């Protein structure tokens, strides 16, 4: 399949890219790795008039820790993130999610910024970044804003990013001691998009209770979301199987899956419950081991 | 029709072309440069038959634009053999019957080559995860995994300095 015709520009700097986006507002799209955008274009689900290839813009792929948070350049690939020593040492949930995206070739070229801006409801990053209460840096000409990940994902392939903005960075606060995370994903075949995915980040208090928790759900609504009701049920409680079951039920009540080839709605809701319990159990075990 | 000039190093040789922005890398390789060893299978980044290396990283060339590789280095299956001497991976696929119809083989070999560059001694599980983005619809994967194991052994023996003989 050959994509429809488009104009192509490969700016050398971010400002040049932003100028292009502003001058062709609404019809220009940013191209990073291309592993999300090009399939959409082949299927004619996207027909941008101009592709702005940021593949050669310097400084967009750094992975570093600044002011107690991890800052991942938007063009960092899933593979580079999964293999980064800083991520491996302090952000195990990020590492687990990055290493499970697609397949090795996709991880070599697909980027975290591209994936988040693309906002496929079944992609993995949005739920993970929401579970970690992260944020996105969006740049336009002369303006930079930091947007919380919770609330950023609005609908299928739709986010709060403006057509004149480039997502330049993903930020995630550094988890403390007694914290643990897990991303569990139900996929029919290796490398498939998730049928259901659940990201859990658990912060235990000195008393062994759940001091804070983040839960992000993949593929069971038009946009990946944080399961706030389940989080509320867990906060302050002891991490028991009964509590996790209650959280799973609350998460399923917030989910709005649609029937497709992965299964009917009631099956998916059951899987939300099961995968939420599993993610919480695993995250809590890891938090307890991370004393 | 507006075109863009691209200059790509393919298997060590500099190649140039004027291309439409929408031309896919796999078509640049096959149709423009005549390197038909890279196959088009699913054309939707699932099957891995079109796997090549771009700047040393394996990529599905059906999901990359030719203009994206301007100035970069591309390696294809045609760049693996050294004259008449097969690359150890090619020899191993032959020896271990790692193919039947052969359609997936160029992509399998290019992905395996990348995998062995990352990990010279992968376990069976690591090999299977390493080729998770490459589908074979006839042999199954048992002999493909054996072939990659054989090639890993061969390549390690080539790279390792000769073991000093132990006394006694």
């Amino acid at each position: 399949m050959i994509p429809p015709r488009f104009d192509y520009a490969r700016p050398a700097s971010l400002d040049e890219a932003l100028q292009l986006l502003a001058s062709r507002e609404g019809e220009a799209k940013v191209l990073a790795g291309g592993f999300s955008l090009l399939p959409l274009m082949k299927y004619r689900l996207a027909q941008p008039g101009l592709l702005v290839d940021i593949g050669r813009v310097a400084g967009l792929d750094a992975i570093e820790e600044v002011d107690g948070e991890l800052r991942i350049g938007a063009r960092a690939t899933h593979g580079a993130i999964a293999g980064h020593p800083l991520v491996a040492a302090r952000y195990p949930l990020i590492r687990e999610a990055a290493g499970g995206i697609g397949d090795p070739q996709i991880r070599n070229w697909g980027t975290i910024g591209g994936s988040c801006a693309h906002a496929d409801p079944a992609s993995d990053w949005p739920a993970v970044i929401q579970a970690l209460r992260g944020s996105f840096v969006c740049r336009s000409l002369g303006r930079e804003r930091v947007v919380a990940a919770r609330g950023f994902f609005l609908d299928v392939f739709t986010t709060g990013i403006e057509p004149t903005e480039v997502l330049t960075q993903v930020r995630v606060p550094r988890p403390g001691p007694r914290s643990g995370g897990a991303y569990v994903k139900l996929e029919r075949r290796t490398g498939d998009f998730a049928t259901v995915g659940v990201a859990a980040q658990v912060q235990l208090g000195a008393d062994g209770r759940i001091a804070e928790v983040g839960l992000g759900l993949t593929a069971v609504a038009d946009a990946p979301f944080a399961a706030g009701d389940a989080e509320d049920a867990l906060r302050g409680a002891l991490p028991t199987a009964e509590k996790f079951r209650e959280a799973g039920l609350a998460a399923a009540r917030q989910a709005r899956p649609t029937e497709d080839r992965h299964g009917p709605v009631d099956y998916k809701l059951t899987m939300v419950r099961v995968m939420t319990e599993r993610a919480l159990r695993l995250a809590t075990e890891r938090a307890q081991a991370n004393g | 029709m507006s075109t863009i000039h691209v200059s790509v190093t393919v298997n060590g040789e500099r190649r140039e072309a004027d291309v439409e922005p929408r031309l896919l890398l796999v078509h640049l390789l096959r149709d423009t440069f005549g390197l038909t060893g890279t196959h088009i299978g699913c054309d939707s980044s699932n099957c891995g038959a079109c796997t090549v290396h771009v700047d040393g990283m394996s990529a599905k060339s059906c999901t990359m634009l030719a203009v994206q590789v301007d100035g970069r280095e591309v390696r294809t299956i045609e760049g693996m053999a050294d004259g008449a001497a097969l690359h150890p991976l090619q020899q191993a696929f032959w020896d271990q019957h790692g193919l039947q119809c052969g359609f997936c083989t160029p992509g399998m070999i290019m992905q395996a080559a990348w995998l062995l560059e990352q990990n010279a001694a992968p376990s069976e599980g690591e090999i299977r995860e390493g080729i998770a983005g490459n589908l074979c619809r006839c042999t199954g994967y048992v002999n493909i995994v054996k072939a990659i194991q054989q090639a890993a052994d061969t390549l390690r023996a080539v790279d390792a300095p000769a073991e000093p003989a132990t006394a006694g």
Side-chain angles (χ1 to χ4, degrees), chain A residues 1-10 31-36 38-39 42-44 51 53 55-56 77 102-109 189-192, chain B residues 1-2 4 20-22 24 27 42-46 48 51 54 57-60 62-65 67-72 111 114 129-134:
Chain A
M1 280 169 291
I2 296 164
R5 288 202 172 82
F6 52 85
D7 297 331
Y8 173 82
R10 192 168 59 223
L31 174 69
F35 273 74
S36 295
L38 292 182
K42 286 177 165 193
Y43 290 122
R44 270 59 180 173
L51 282 193
D53 183 354
R56 312 293 167 93
T77 63
D103 58 45
Q105 291 98 314
I106 288 169
R107 292 195 290 274
N108 279 346
W109 293 93
R189 299 165 303 187
T190 302
D192 257 3
Chain B
M1 184 180 72
S2 69
I4 290 178
E20 260 195 282
R22 62 175 175 165
L24 299 169
H27 294 303
C42 69
D43 201 3
S44 56
S45 76
N46 281 293
T51 299
V54 177
M57 301 294 273
S58 62
K60 295 185 174 180
C62 76
T63 307
M64 195 169 274
L65 300 169
V67 287
Q68 284 177 282
V69 301
D70 182 27
R72 298 188 191 263
Q111 181 56 21
W114 177 80
E129 283 186 14
I131 58 169
N134 293 71

Side-chain angles (χ1 to χ4, degrees), chain A residues 121-122 124 183 185-189 192-198 218-221 257-258 260-264 267-269 271-272 275:
Chain A
D124 299 307
Y183 185 58
K185 163 159 90 158
L186 179 66
E187 48 185 4
R188 291 186 71 176
R189 299 165 303 187
D192 257 3
F193 278 106
T195 299
V196 176
V198 179
T218 299
V220 285
T258 50
D260 58 18
R261 66 198 164 86
H262 295 292
Y267 165 74
K268 289 188 178 184
L269 290 175
M271 290 304 106
V272 169
M275 303 308 272

